[in-house]
Amino acid sequence: MFNEVLGLAFAILNMIFVLIMYKFFGKTGLFVWVGFATVLANIQVVKLIEIFGLTATLGNAVYGSIFLVTDILNEKYGKKEAKKAVWLGFSSLIMMTIIMQLVIQFQPSPDDFTQDSLETIFGLIPRIALGSLIAYIISQYTDVIIFSFLRKLFPADGAFWIRNNGSTMISQLLDTLIFTTIAFLGVFPKEIWLSVFISTYALKFLISIIGTPFGYLSKRITPIDEK
C-alpha cells in the first residue's frame, strides 16, 4: 500500500501547490504552474510504478493538475485565458525537448557521471514528447470547449463539480488514448500497454475527483495582486 498512500498524498500536494501559486501570484502563478507542470510530467512519465495492482506511469498527478488550472482560469477569467495557458504548456514542452536533445549531444568530461542517466531519461523524450504534444493540445482544447459548454448548461457556482469533472474526464480519456498509443504502443508488450492505458486513465479519473474540492477553494481565493 506504500505507493497508493504516497500517490494520494502526492496528488493532494500538487493541488495545494496550485492554490499556493494562485494565492501569491494570481493568474501569473497559474501560467507558470502550467509550463512547469507540463515539463515535469513528461520527465516523470518515463518511470513505471505498480499501483492498485496495475502498471502505471508516474506523472499523472502533476499532469492532472494542469487540467485543474485551465478549469480555474476558464471559470474565473474566461476561455481566452485558459487557451493561453494551453499554448504556454505546449510551447514549454517543445522548448524543453529541443534544449535537452542538444544537452545530451555535448561530449561529457571524463569526470562526468550524469551523461548515461540523462540519455536514459531524455533519450526517450522525443517519442514521449510527440505523443504528449499531440495528446496535450487535443485534450486541453477539448477540456476548454467542454467546460465552456457545460458552464452554459450549468452556470451555478455549486455546479462547478459538473463542469470540472465532465470536461476533465472526457478530455483525459482522449489524452490517455492518444498519448499511450504514440508513446508506448510497440515499446511495451500489448498487455503492458493496455495495463498502462487503463491504470493511467483510472488514476486521472481519481485525480480529477480529488482536484474538485481544490477548484471550489480557488473560487474563494483572492490573489494578493488582485486585492
Side-chain angles (χ1 to χ4, degrees), residues 177-198:
L177 178 61
I178 295 169
F179 173 72
T180 57
T181 299
I182 295 174
F184 298 128
L185 190 60
V187 175
F188 299 129
K190 287 184 179 179
E191 60 271 17
I192 297 296
W193 172 82
L194 183 60
S195 178
V196 169
F197 169 73
I198 294 172

Side-chain angles (χ1 to χ4, degrees), residues 160-176:
F160 174 77
W161 69 273
I162 299 175
R163 302 190 289 272
N164 172 241
N165 289 295
S167 62
T168 299
M169 289 172 182
I170 295 172
S171 59
Q172 289 277 32
L173 180 61
L174 275 175
D175 180 270
T176 306

Side-chain angles (χ1 to χ4, degrees), residues 74-133:
N74 205 340
E75 178 79 5
K76 300 193 75 171
Y77 303 101
K79 186 191 296 186
K80 183 178 179 180
E81 297 301 303
K83 287 183 177 180
K84 185 188 296 183
V86 171
W87 282 109
L88 176 61
F90 186 82
S91 302
S92 298
L93 182 55
I94 288 177
M95 290 185 285
M96 183 273 285
T97 301
I98 294 172
I99 288 171
M100 292 313 298
Q101 290 310 298
L102 292 174
V103 165
I104 61 177
Q105 298 309 311
F106 281 90
Q107 293 296 318
S109 162
D111 298 321
D112 177 77
F113 58 88
T114 63
Q115 180 70 12
D116 290 343
S117 298
L118 288 172
E119 287 180 351
T120 298
I121 295 172
F122 293 102
L124 295 172
I125 288 294
R127 179 168 178 166
I128 289 173
L130 176 64
S132 185
L133 284 167

